[in-house]
Amino acid sequence: MTTAPLADRLDGLLFFPVTAFAPDGSVDLDTFRAHVRAGVDAGAAAVFACCGTGEFHALAPEEFRDCVAAAVEETAGRVPVVAGAGYGTALAVRYARLAEEAGADGLLAMPPYLVVADQAGLLRHYTELAAATSLDVIVYQRDNAILTPDTAVALARTDGIIGLKDGLGDLGLMQRIVSAVRSEGLDLLYFNGLPTAELTGAAYRGIGVTLYSSAVFCFAPELALAYHRALASGDDPTVDRLVDDFYRPLAELRAQGRGYAVSLVKAAVRMEGLDVGPVRPPLSEPAPEHLDALARLVERGRALVKELGA
């Protein structure tokens, strides 16, 4: 049986699992498997393993390989598995090859480590990464890896590069990129990659960006799916209520601490009964008062879904 291309399989809610750590600090593969399995069973359209929410920055290459392999085994082909790849070009290529060996379907190319490169350097970096394996690549635009429309067009012409995930939030730039690529008769998949992407889902949808990653799906899939259904069906009143009463307060809580885009999500997974352990340094755990606020907010969000019948 021929597997459909990755670009044709990425349609729905994208799941970025956290990476589980045992009390001694090692990777807890059994708990990670349970987390991935629960997400796929709940309706995830794809698993993005060992990416930002999965603390890619904190994983040794061997840990990364083992986690990607575990995600591939747990999904068993039901949904695609995309793995992170980052740092400088040589290390990014190493991680890409480990992901390919582990059976991943594609790569999310994280920004290069530390340096602020020009457009020619970024293009060379992503081109070399795409050529290193047979895996399709999604480029993650954020921080020190911001693309011009011309560079996005060049990436769209590059074999193996199929998408662009935006973690910057500049809708004007994204509209220019979408327009430039379209005007050249080329195709890319576009993803809203902002933390708490549901907060900006309607805005991105206005420029044709419908795919997004949901951190909320990690700990409250019924909330994430309710929003996704409402957005996809044009149910604006439900979208607005979910944003006003859950997603905006969640984003404001996330802004209370550095690294909360990861540590707050991981804490919420633990609150739901799966002990995925703490975040690794240099991230820190959320403050106790913020954990209390998180618990109240999730409870309120679930009550809202029931009220709305969403």
Side-chain angles (χ1 to χ4, degrees):
M1 182 176 67
T2 301
T3 301
L6 178 61
D8 294 339
R9 301 176 68 196
L10 293 173
D11 182 19
L13 202 52
L14 309 179
F15 174 34
F16 282 61
V18 302
T19 299
F21 299 125
D24 65 359
S26 63
V27 171
D28 183 347
L29 284 176
D30 288 341
T31 301
F32 176 71
R33 286 174 178 276
H35 184 43
V36 170
R37 186 166 58 249
V40 175
D41 289 346
V47 173
F48 281 66
C50 305
C51 296
T53 309
E55 296 179 79
F56 170 80
H57 68 278
L59 296 175
E62 297 78 13
E63 294 174 323
F64 167 86
R65 178 198 59 218
D66 291 346
C67 285
V68 175
V72 170
E73 290 173 6
E74 286 301 325
T75 58
R78 289 181 289 169
V79 299
V81 174
V82 178
Y87 304 116
T89 306
L91 271 178
V93 165
R94 182 182 178 192
Y95 277 92
R97 288 174 175 159
L98 288 172
E100 185 175 41
E101 291 170 9
D105 298 286
L107 300 169
L108 178 64
M110 317 290 272
Y113 173 69
L114 192 60
V115 296
V116 179
D118 61 14
Q119 294 296 298
L122 289 172
L123 180 58
R124 181 181 174 190
H125 172 76
Y126 294 122
T127 299
E128 291 188 15
L129 178 59
T133 74
S134 64
L135 300 180
D136 287 333
V137 177
I138 299 163
V139 174
Y140 195 178
Q141 168 171 267
R142 57 175 294 171
D143 300 321
N144 59 330
I146 308 303
L147 308 176
T148 64
D150 286 345
T151 301
V153 168
L155 289 175
R157 296 187 190 280
T158 302
D159 288 342
I161 295 180
I162 65 165
L164 174 63
K165 180 181 180 184
D166 181 53
L168 177 64
D170 184 336
L171 287 175
L173 174 60
M174 277 302 295
Q175 178 66 85
R176 290 164 55 217
I177 286 173
V178 170
S179 174
V181 171
R182 183 175 60 229
S183 295
E184 292 297 320
L186 302 168
D187 290 315
L188 280 177
L189 290 178
Y190 300 101
F191 305 77
N192 173 0
L194 291 177
T196 316
E198 288 90 346
L199 195 66
T200 53
Y204 272 87
R205 195 171 187 83
I207 60 170
V209 179
T210 59
L211 292 168
Y212 65 90
S213 53
S214 174
V216 170
F217 187 86
C218 286
F219 58 88
E222 69 275 31
L223 266 165
L225 289 166
Y227 174 92
H228 187 266
R229 287 191 294 267
L231 184 67
S233 65
D235 183 356
D236 293 339
T238 296
V239 167
D240 290 346
R241 282 291 306 280
L242 288 168
V243 167
D244 293 349
D245 293 351
F246 178 74
Y247 284 105
R248 178 176 57 82
L250 179 63
E252 290 170 349
L253 179 60
R254 189 197 69 227
Q256 297 301 306
R258 289 188 178 275
Y260 274 18
V262 177
S263 62
L264 207 65
V265 173
K266 204 164 193 181
V269 176
R270 293 196 303 270
M271 287 179 182
E272 293 301 305
L274 187 64
D275 187 2
V276 291
V279 290
R280 278 181 172 174
L283 295 180
S284 298
E285 289 299 305
E289 62 270 24
H290 295 154
L291 294 178
D292 291 342
L294 176 62
R296 292 193 299 271
L297 183 56
V298 173
E299 183 179 0
R300 189 169 78 195
R302 288 198 165 111
L304 177 61
V305 169
K306 289 182 179 179
E307 175 192 334
L308 295 171

